[in-house]
Amino acid sequence: MFTEAQLYSPVTKGADGDVTVHLSDEHPGVHDPVYRTRRNAIAAMALEYRPGARVPRIDYTPEEQEVWRIVSAELARKRARYACAEVIAAAERLALPSDHIPQLDEVTSKLVPLTGFRYAPAAGLVPLREFFGSFADRTFHSTQYIRHHSAPLYTPEPDAVHEILGHANQLASPRFAAVYETVGAAVARLETERALKFLADVFWFSMEFGVLREYGEVRCYGAGLLSSFGEIEEFRRAELRPLDIHAMGTIAYDITHYQPILYCAESVGEIEDVIGGFFETMTDDTVARLVSVRQA
Ligand SMILES: [Fe+2]
């Protein structure tokens, strides 16, 4: 899931219990009443979910399945060309279906034997503390709706394509899954909102938009890149900088455009050492020190 509130379509529940997903004016589905009703119904099911209960199954329409088939085929082709070897191998082991949208239970049953990660439903934005904190239990909160059929290769918000083809393919790697777990463990130590935001931003520039050098070229491992039809190859035009925790945790960025600056690791080992190593030990004090030392 993307971690920025403004990227999600807000979900509200009225006094009458009606759940409404508020799509932006630019959303491809905003003028389609059938799509909007569907989005409200899917969000309502996620809101009703309680841990331990049966994960809601979505009866996806033929139109929605067709969107998945199109995106899945296009991203598989691009992943083979632009993703790093660790992700390609993980995706092969996970073997997500390309002919239908997997239910979250199906994703879980494939992931658990590989890395123990489970998918839980989310209506939209999950509070940062809950979203990142649940990684400690190897749980990933995922939305279940899919983008509008008029634009199968585009979405203004994270959807099932992002959550599953982006994150699950990454979470199928034991090495990346272990980094997620260190993020979850870090959240339990953090008390300040500043430190939590710092963690979210380092995560953004690594597990969402991270790239690494491999075979003499730049390849991606971030879920945001892996799930974006356009950005999965455009990232090569970005300005690449070496891993720098302070910069990743403090640089301003615009989530609505392709990222102009990316942080490039030299290997998966460097991601584990620098990014995983930071999450493993980070506290409120670490963040306060990092920021004040640089300011001085
Ligand atoms: Fe994400």
Side-chain angles (χ1 to χ4, degrees):
M1 161 175 316
F2 288 30
T3 55
E4 302 304 310
Q6 61 268 44
L7 201 54
Y8 274 93
S9 302
V11 179
T12 56
K13 192 171 186 176
D16 52 3
D18 279 2
V19 173
T20 307
V21 178
H22 302 269
L23 301 183
S24 73
D25 291 344
E26 293 78 39
H27 195 291
V30 70
H31 299 302
D32 178 349
V34 175
Y35 182 77
R36 299 202 67 165
T37 303
R38 178 117 187 99
R39 288 291 303 268
N40 294 346
I42 292 173
M45 280 193 266
L47 285 182
E48 272 171 33
Y49 172 79
R50 294 291 172 267
R54 188 166 172 271
V55 172
R57 290 182 66 83
I58 310 298
D59 189 12
Y60 291 110
T61 65
E63 221 165 36
E64 289 171 327
Q65 302 287 22
E66 181 61 12
V67 168
W68 179 268
R69 280 192 285 275
I70 292 169
V71 190
S72 191
E74 292 292 342
L75 286 179
R77 197 169 50 79
K78 292 208 175 187
R79 191 167 58 238
R81 176 70 190 88
Y82 297 107
C84 71
E86 183 70 19
V87 164
I88 291 174
E92 276 170 14
R93 284 194 298 272
L94 186 63
L96 288 168
S98 55
D99 62 340
H100 68 273
I101 307 171
Q103 299 290 335
L104 297 190
D105 277 347
E106 188 178 351
V107 178
T108 295
S109 66
K110 285 173 171 290
L111 265 180
V112 164
L114 298 175
T115 61
F117 258 89
R118 296 176 175 279
Y119 267 46
L125 180 76
V126 176
L128 294 189
R129 184 170 290 281
E130 186 183 348
F131 177 67
F132 290 115
S134 67
F135 296 169
D137 306 321
R138 298 216 166 201
T139 297
F140 184 85
H141 288 94
S142 166
T143 54
Q144 294 172 285
Y145 55 81
I146 194 153
R147 58 199 60 190
H148 193 254
H149 58 84
S150 64
L153 299 178
Y154 168 77
T155 177
E157 57 186 340
D159 64 348
V161 171
H162 172 70
E163 316 282 29
I164 299 172
L165 292 176
H167 285 286
N169 278 330
Q170 191 187 48
L171 283 166
S173 152
R175 299 179 75 177
F176 290 134
V179 174
Y180 274 65
E181 195 170 358
T182 63
V183 171
V187 169
R189 293 190 298 272
L190 303 182
E191 289 177 9
T192 68
E193 290 308 306
R194 182 198 207 186
L196 197 58
K197 175 72 167 64
F198 193 98
L199 171 144
D201 289 347
V202 174
F203 186 88
W204 174 268
F205 280 111
S206 55
M207 305 321 285
E208 291 284 6
F209 286 91
V211 297
L212 63 86
R213 233 175 281 282
E214 203 172 67
Y215 310 124
E217 58 182 18
V218 184
R219 297 228 175 183
C220 64
Y221 67 92
L225 295 172
L226 290 168
S227 61
S228 166
F229 174 77
E231 202 163 3
I232 193 171
E233 55 184 275
E234 280 299 311
F235 73 79
R236 289 186 162 183
R237 295 170 187 262
E239 177 190 335
L240 300 180
R241 296 183 181 175
L243 298 189
D244 176 336
I245 295 294
H246 173 267
M248 294 162 84
T250 53
I251 192 172
Y253 55 94
D254 180 352
I255 57 172
T256 61
H257 291 96
Y258 290 169
Q259 298 303 311
I261 295 167
L262 295 176
Y263 293 88
C264 182
E266 294 303 317
S267 63
V268 176
E270 195 192 7
I271 297 163
E272 293 170 318
D273 292 348
V274 176
I275 308 291
F278 168 71
F279 288 134
E280 225 165 81
T281 57
M282 85 174 287
T283 60
D284 292 314
D285 289 347
T286 320
V287 173
R289 262 201 314 274
L290 257 175
V291 174
S292 67
V293 165
R294 289 297 183 101
Q295 278 168 349

